[in-house]
Amino acid sequence: LDGGDGGREAVADGLTYTSLVSACAKGFRWKHASALLSEICKQQQRLNVNIYNAALNACAKCRRWELAVDTLCNARCARVGPDLGTYNAAVLACDGQPALLLLAEMRLLGLEVNMEAYA
């Protein structure tokens, strides 16, 4: 990112990345959200659950269940503890069996499952 300060680069933080990924989600730009998440990982930036949740929201809005499940797995591998928002977004991206499996996993983890939220 060019900070406009004589050639020095501004360093983006977690909030900036989360905002960028969230903007992609709001614009139904799941490919951009996924690419941005990949770029953040390549730069070895510190990721947090909010960045993953934003990416999963993009998947949910565009019904990209395969990418949602992959993103959820990546969050687990990065040891970024998925929370209720993470799972809710992943479930909303899914249909059928993948959604049922995620709901079962939520129950095993002790996360509150509100079936009305998915109706």
Side-chain angles (χ1 to χ4, degrees):
L1 297 173
D2 181 3
D5 55 0
R8 292 182 292 173
E9 290 188 12
V11 178
D13 60 8
L15 180 60
T16 303
Y17 284 128
T18 301
S19 296
L20 288 169
V21 176
S22 292
C24 292
K26 288 177 184 172
F28 296 87
R29 305 282 190 185
W30 64 270
K31 287 183 182 178
H32 291 91
S34 178
L36 185 54
L37 186 60
S38 293
E39 185 60 33
I40 296 166
C41 290
K42 285 180 189 173
Q43 293 179 9
Q44 297 181 345
Q45 296 291 324
R46 186 171 170 199
L47 299 172
N48 61 48
V49 71
N50 296 324
I51 295 170
Y52 282 102
N53 289 357
L56 283 162
N57 283 327
C59 296
K61 286 186 178 202
C62 298
R63 307 295 291 172
R64 306 302 297 188
W65 74 267
E66 300 97 342
L67 182 58
V69 170
D70 189 49
T71 301
L72 180 60
C73 289
N74 289 339
R76 281 192 222 113
C77 289
R79 298 185 191 255
V80 176
D83 60 12
L84 184 60
T86 311
Y87 276 93
N88 282 338
V91 170
L92 289 171
C94 297
D95 285 324
Q97 191 67 28
L100 293 174
L101 291 171
L102 288 174
L103 290 168
E105 186 174 322
M106 288 173 70
R107 285 189 182 102
L108 287 173
L109 294 172
L111 296 173
E112 181 181 335
V113 176
N114 179 358
M115 294 306 289
E116 292 175 13
Y118 307 115

